[in-house]
Amino acid sequence: MTASDGDEPNGLRRTHRVTISDLARRLQISKASVSYALNGRAGVSDETRQRVLDLAEELGFHPNSAAVALSASRTRTIGIVIARDPALISTEAFYMRTLVGIEQYLNEVDASLLLRLTGEQGEDLDVLRRWSRQGRVDGFILFDEHDNDPRIPLLKELGIPCVVVSSNAPDDQAGRLISSPTETVTLLLDHLAALGHRDIAHISGPFMFVHERLRVQTLRELAADRGMTVRQLEGSYRYDDGAALTRQLLTGPNPPTAIVLGNDLMAVAALRVAIDLGTPVPGQVSIVAWDDSPLCELAHPGITAVDQKTMERGRAAADLLFRVAAGQDDIHEQAPAGELRARASSGPAAHR
Amino acid sequence: MTASDGDEPNGLRRTHRVTISDLARRLQISKASVSYALNGRAGVSDETRQRVLDLAEELGFHPNSAAVALSASRTRTIGIVIARDPALISTEAFYMRTLVGIEQYLNEVDASLLLRLTGEQGEDLDVLRRWSRQGRVDGFILFDEHDNDPRIPLLKELGIPCVVVSSNAPDDQAGRLISSPTETVTLLLDHLAALGHRDIAHISGPFMFVHERLRVQTLRELAADRGMTVRQLEGSYRYDDGAALTRQLLTGPNPPTAIVLGNDLMAVAALRVAIDLGTPVPGQVSIVAWDDSPLCELAHPGITAVDQKTMERGRAAADLLFRVAAGQDDIHEQAPAGELRARASSGPAAHR
């Protein structure tokens, strides 16, 4: 699938209908054998190779997509290096769901993931440099973009491709899977506006992340378009912080009628503080979260959140990386669209 | 640290006090340089090597531990292949916390993780075989041991070391990091017995896992020792299943006064069902979980659970694997001890 023929009108690439797994199942051979056959690599007999190619044609499997990219791959391995507090990584569902999506894709095409979690920023640069020089990976998927992120020029200098899971699309030659905040902000604000909310608050993640500052800016603009005011507070993604900032809002003058929280952990914290303060949810304050997760789903009341299609996003990032590494020109792609999961934590505004 | 000098009386190995990170920080050089110096590998000057060795001696860093093991390592990479439903992996905190623990260790010794999540059992064997033959890893950490688990003889045949994160210790030449269920069952039953519970139920995970059957057997034996009866039901680790089985218990004849759930997701489900049925928790039924997690901590009421020290266990498994791979004789080790986190979901039994 080339970048153009797979694009939907809304910019969303669809997943392939026929996969290597389908071919393997039909032929009762391993996916590795299918992959070897499609990629012209040793490891299968000529007869098997022909059976694979025949079935691929019959079923309309497009070997001009990932298969071509993978045939150009030196290592069939991608690298991910995450520099974040390990405790936070293990509490938030985001990373694990993303990794699972990436792994689902890699498993289908018989490729591998080399993973490193460094506790501190800076250490990640060492790892990117060494894995690149050692030729261990075809490229990297990068998360949590910072201002003037040093990883992007480093990888450019090293000549190693990357895909940034990103909120913006500067012209820096990095591959990008782009989730514009406009979409999520629109889902959240339309939901709250329809419920009569006019005075809302947003407790974000740290402003050091590009995507958090874009969220703040987009919320301000789209709230103004709808005649809503939005107070913005910088949080840390941590439970304690979500709790303290929510307490500050709800016990201060003119509490907002709805609070948007930047992640699931802070949303659960906000819900708990509201209940502990005797502030009815959603009767007095609605609580909504940027990212859906089991914590939001299993909270009581359940917390309204945007399902960011995190696993699909992981799949799409891995797929894009192999195509970028194979030299595809179009290095920017839209991430799968999110969907609002309306639950009991949001309801009509207390004051109109 | 050899297997003997690091053992505590209770069988728990302690973590090293001085790490490669400490040496790197003190010398203001990278951890990779420290590791190269300690392991006699190229990449550092003779002068730096001497400074590293001098400081290691001064601080009592024991290069006869992981460093020796790592110097024997061909790839400085370990493999993990998990065959489980991806949706479940991303919902349960267990895997991510274990991976984070493993990664913390690997980051300190500058080693890497090659990770594969295969959706189906059987596919994992293919991956183990190929990575072994391609010499991509020094060894594997295995989870979720089955009866007559085919992975263990396969790796033995391939001559690749492994560490099974395990509940038992058969004499099959596999390395094992052992969490005996006796410890957790003792913590849970002593807690419930002290609260006067005599008639309890246990909703386990699937019996296809060795550790689940050992839990069932241990619960039966230790409950009998305490004069308690325990009804055992086989669950699936899934929310829906935990909910259905809890409903069955609470609406049936002679409901138990306490329910032990095999994972966090089923425990949250049990709590929700009890609340929905109007059964006071813990007034009428106490809910306790085998594994602690943010879901247990953030539930309301908070769910009593055993903190299995999952991150520490991950670290210990990675450390043991490198030592086993380097030829250490003692290939069985006790996992770090768990601790009970008593919360509001457990209280005095309704009926004595």
Side-chain angles (χ1 to χ4, degrees), chain A residues 19-246:
Chain A
T19 67
I20 286 180
S21 295
D22 299 326
L23 299 179
R25 205 173 301 121
R26 290 277 292 257
L27 294 169
Q28 297 192 289
I29 60 178
S30 73
K31 290 188 304 188
S33 298
V34 173
S35 159
Y36 292 156
L38 291 171
N39 298 335
R41 294 164 75 205
V44 288
S45 69
D46 287 347
E47 187 204 327
T48 301
R49 188 183 310 279
Q50 197 54 53
R51 284 171 59 217
V52 171
L53 294 175
D54 289 349
L55 183 65
E57 192 176 338
E58 180 191 328
L59 296 183
F61 178 83
H62 295 292
N64 60 327
S65 65
V68 165
L70 283 159
S71 73
S73 158
R74 293 166 303 131
T75 65
R76 293 184 84 82
T77 303
I78 67 173
I80 294 182
V81 184
I82 300 174
R84 270 232 203 166
D85 176 358
L88 193 60
I89 287 178
S90 65
T91 307
E92 270 197 36
F94 171 81
Y95 283 105
M96 194 67 194
R97 294 168 76 91
T98 303
L99 285 180
V100 166
I102 291 168
E103 285 281 355
Q104 284 185 322
Y105 179 87
L106 295 179
N107 193 47
E108 283 173 19
V109 300
D110 186 34
S112 303
L113 172 67
L114 203 58
L115 177 68
R116 180 69 69 87
L117 309 180
T118 68
E120 294 164 46
Q121 272 157 32
E123 288 189 4
D124 55 342
L125 297 177
D126 278 348
V127 179
L128 294 175
R129 196 177 289 117
R130 271 179 293 127
W131 287 0
S132 299
R133 290 199 174 137
Q134 293 164 0
R136 299 192 69 175
V137 296
D138 278 9
F140 292 94
I141 298 177
L142 306 182
F143 299 95
D144 300 327
E145 188 181 11
H146 293 61
D147 281 323
N148 301 312
D149 199 310
R151 296 174 294 176
I152 294 167
L154 172 67
L155 292 177
K156 190 178 161 192
E157 183 193 322
L158 292 163
I160 301 289
C162 67
V163 163
V164 188
V165 174
S166 177
S167 297
N168 60 346
D171 183 21
D172 59 5
Q173 299 175 40
R176 283 175 187 273
L177 184 74
I178 302 157
S179 307
S180 153
T182 303
E183 193 175 83
T184 300
V185 168
T186 300
L187 288 170
L188 291 173
L189 289 186
D190 284 352
H191 176 72
L192 293 175
L195 292 167
H197 295 273
R198 293 289 170 265
D199 177 15
I200 69 173
H202 172 221
I203 300 178
S204 70
F207 289 168
M208 65 186 230
F209 294 124
V210 171
H211 67 264
E212 288 293 343
R213 292 205 317 281
L214 280 170
R215 290 181 188 182
V216 164
Q217 181 190 328
T218 308
L219 257 169
R220 183 182 302 120
E221 290 168 6
L222 298 193
D225 291 350
R226 286 162 179 76
M228 301 162 88
T229 60
V230 52
R231 274 171 271 180
Q232 313 232 27
L233 293 85
E234 182 183 5
S236 63
Y237 295 135
R238 294 180 180 285
Y239 185 93
D240 291 351
D241 219 36
L245 292 171
T246 300

Side-chain angles (χ1 to χ4, degrees), chain A residues 20-21 24-25 28-34 36 107 110 112, chain B residues 81-83 116 118 120-134 136-137 140 150-151 154-155 158:
Chain A
I20 286 180
S21 295
R25 205 173 301 121
Q28 297 192 289
I29 60 178
S30 73
K31 290 188 304 188
S33 298
V34 173
Y36 292 156
N107 193 47
D110 186 34
S112 303
Chain B
V81 185
I82 301 174
R116 179 71 68 88
T118 68
E120 295 165 43
Q121 273 156 32
E123 287 188 4
D124 55 342
L125 297 176
D126 277 348
V127 180
L128 294 175
R129 196 177 289 117
R130 271 178 292 125
W131 286 1
S132 300
R133 291 199 173 137
Q134 294 164 0
R136 299 192 69 175
V137 297
F140 292 95
R151 296 174 294 176
L154 172 67
L155 293 177
L158 292 164

